Amino acid sequence: KEVHEQTRQFLDKALATHRKNIEWADSRGVSTVWVEASRREAQKIADILARESAGDLATPGAAELTELELAPIPPAAGGYVPGRIDL
């Protein structure tokens, strides 16, 4: 039960963050792969929280990877890409 209470805090925070991302994007008419991922993840989290509130406690399972696909960043001209610390 204690684990569920701690997990709920993380889920509430994640949901709030996704909702802020969505609200910001909607207010500016922006739609990106990141915004759509936030929409999907917010719905998943809301569903989990609704089940938890109804007494259906989630049990641990395998991690689910989302299908977020991003194009790789092409290397800079000349093939040199500075390391993060160099930036």
Side-chain angles (χ1 to χ4, degrees), residues 32-60:
T32 67
V33 63
W34 294 102
V35 174
E36 295 311 311
S38 273
R39 289 184 199 285
R40 287 191 305 274
E41 294 305 312
Q43 187 59 54
K44 287 180 189 178
I45 294 169
D47 291 346
I48 291 169
L49 292 174
R51 287 195 320 264
E52 293 269 341
S53 292
D56 181 14
L57 301 179
T59 56

Side-chain angles (χ1 to χ4, degrees), residues 4-60:
H4 286 279
E5 290 171 13
Q6 291 177 348
T7 302
R8 176 154 190 122
Q9 292 173 4
F10 291 120
L11 290 173
D12 286 336
K13 187 173 182 178
L15 181 57
T17 301
H18 284 300
R19 285 182 172 163
K20 285 179 187 176
N21 288 341
I22 295 164
E23 182 180 310
W24 180 90
D26 288 348
S27 72
R28 287 158 179 78
V30 175
S31 181
T32 67
V33 63
W34 294 102
V35 174
E36 295 311 311
S38 273
R39 289 184 199 285
R40 287 191 305 274
E41 294 305 312
Q43 187 59 54
K44 287 180 189 178
I45 294 169
D47 291 346
I48 291 169
L49 292 174
R51 287 195 320 264
E52 293 269 341
S53 292
D56 181 14
L57 301 179
T59 56

